[in-house]
Amino acid sequence: MRFQRIAIIGSGAVGLYYGGLLARAGREVHFLLRSDLDTVREKGIRLLLPNENVHLHPVNAHETTASIGPVDLVIIALKTPANRILTQLLPPLLIPRTTILTLQNGLGNEAFLADHFGAGRILGGLCFICLNRTASGEVTNLHKGSLTLGSYQGGNDERPEVIAEVLRSAGVNCRAAADLREARWRKLIWNVPFNGLTVAAGGIDTEELLAEPALTVEVKALMREIQASARALGIEIEDAFLERQLEVTRTMGAYRPSSLVDFQAGRPLEVDSIWGAPLEAAREAGVPTPRLSLLHALLNKLNPAEN
Amino acid sequence: MRFQRIAIIGSGAVGLYYGGLLARAGREVHFLLRSDLDTVREKGIRLLLPNENVHLHPVNAHETTASIGPVDLVIIALKTPANRILTQLLPPLLIPRTTILTLQNGLGNEAFLADHFGAGRILGGLCFICLNRTASGEVTNLHKGSLTLGSYQGGNDERPEVIAEVLRSAGVNCRAAADLREARWRKLIWNVPFNGLTVAAGGIDTEELLAEPALTVEVKALMREIQASARALGIEIEDAFLERQLEVTRTMGAYRPSSLVDFQAGRPLEVDSIWGAPLEAAREAGVPTPRLSLLHALLNKLNPAEN
């Protein structure tokens, strides 16, 4: 298992950041670019990190995956509403040993990739980090954050740990999780209320949200709906975890979750993966999630992609 | 019991319409006006009705209630966020026999008036009508609609029927209800979902709302929460009533509920009376209303009065 040749699909803030750190650490990283293609070809990639600024130039910047060709590892950092195009984008990158790692939000992304490209090669990753694309080809990161990797199929898959080591040696605070599903549901405890309510309450940040007692009650109630849904699927998330999520968020100040950033920029929301798929899972498990249901219906209509 | 001298407090579309019809029928109607005062003094009131146009001139247009003085009947058609000023506005109008009829939306308005001016004189009315203030001093009405009156204290109060007859003789389709509380909760079956979701879903009319299957599910679920809350208070609202509300709304086309009109005009929403008071009643009765709770918290924040 070697992960030397790497393709980054979706070169927004997340893709530029992890791809940039891997390139600096000596991996052969190929970026699929769209809007930033010309800038990155001419000026490279800039990462403005807490303690240093990184400038990568030249960069392997591509317009098509055919020009990248087969790789050891594909890292997917597209927004989930664009998932359909992956069926056309990925085939030129794949040989039997190629691993696909999705860093996307919510539920259902690994299953989608497994359906099209085989379950055995799929890993998932959860980013707990705040990244801002501050200019074309430039990403700003104020706190290092963390990345958790896991195997879709589970079992004795060693790749999460091997790739976590690759990322650690590139400076990423990365660990392998025993249970990817559990990690996904734990992240939903945060994403469902905070990504959702900051948008549905009219476009407010987490500080404004938690300044409203009535909305804070709804944050907690939504967390409990996700906790109950996870429990019905055999995933136990302790109450203390919910409380910690609230406390940590209070220390984050006026934070704008990614869905709020997308909403305010007029970009599609990740409605299906963050709210739709958990709602479906809860319904199949027979767990009442009235608040998630209402929030999903509102976000589905507020979604700029729908208007 | 005579109801000859009448004051209209709150001369928006509702106040101008009912006051105008009563004036045309020969009652001595006094309007308390603010933004429309000069226009109504100069040009009178115009009602554009389904089969006729009514022009009233001159009109008893007042800037203060002191200049109106004691009346037989006060009709309140203010938006509920302005309720606090009623404690200062009403006293000059009141003598012992004066009846106060509130035509305002939601729950809690009769109780508020009873607290300040005595329960024995309070009546409530529910307007099922679409009125638009199409210009200063001008109201357009396309469908006649109906008005239901009831006594706050109940018992053998004959005034609802007497005033209903006064209104009928002025051309209003009006009836007295035996149980005002029941009538209020029945109206909430419509107001809670339609006034609320058309605002929270981003400012859409009832036709756009019901074109979304996921939102239609939420309309029905909110109706059931109100039905369950009413039931806990001893008020039985049959399932067929809920279904009929949906069917009737489907025939109304692209209708904008009053809260949506207020929201889009940047005016305060009637959050407390339409969503807050029913939520409080449900909580006191121990009825879970998770969707009403979330919707209330969102509307409270979306409320233009708060921003």
Side-chain angles (χ1 to χ4, degrees), chain A residues 301, chain B residues 130 190-191 193-199 201 203-213 215-216 219 245-261 264:
Chain A
K301 187 65 189 175
Chain B
C130 178
W190 197 92
N191 280 150
F194 286 107
N195 283 51
L197 294 176
T198 53
V199 171
I204 59 177
D205 60 45
T206 55
E207 193 168 62
E208 292 173 277
L209 186 72
L210 294 177
E212 296 286 335
L215 284 168
T216 306
V219 168
Q245 297 294 304
L246 254 181
E247 282 162 28
V248 167
T249 310
R250 287 193 199 284
T251 69
M252 287 163 57
Y255 181 68
R256 296 195 306 148
S258 61
S259 298
L260 177 60
V261 173
Q264 291 177 329

Side-chain angles (χ1 to χ4, degrees), chain A residues 150-197:
Chain A
S151 167
Y152 178 61
Q153 281 199 318
N156 289 322
D157 191 343
E158 291 173 352
R159 291 170 307 156
E161 185 46 46
V162 175
I163 295 174
E165 181 52 38
V166 169
L167 282 155
R168 280 195 293 269
S169 65
V172 178
N173 185 9
C174 188
R175 69 179 190 91
D179 186 337
L180 178 63
R181 275 170 78 239
E182 179 180 331
R184 286 258 174 245
W185 279 94
R186 281 183 183 264
K187 193 167 183 204
L188 289 172
I189 294 277
W190 197 92
N191 280 149
V192 163
F194 286 106
N195 284 50
L197 293 176

Side-chain angles (χ1 to χ4, degrees), chain A residues 274-286:
Chain A
I274 300 181
W275 301 277
L279 178 61
E280 205 179 309
R283 280 182 179 156
E284 279 173 16

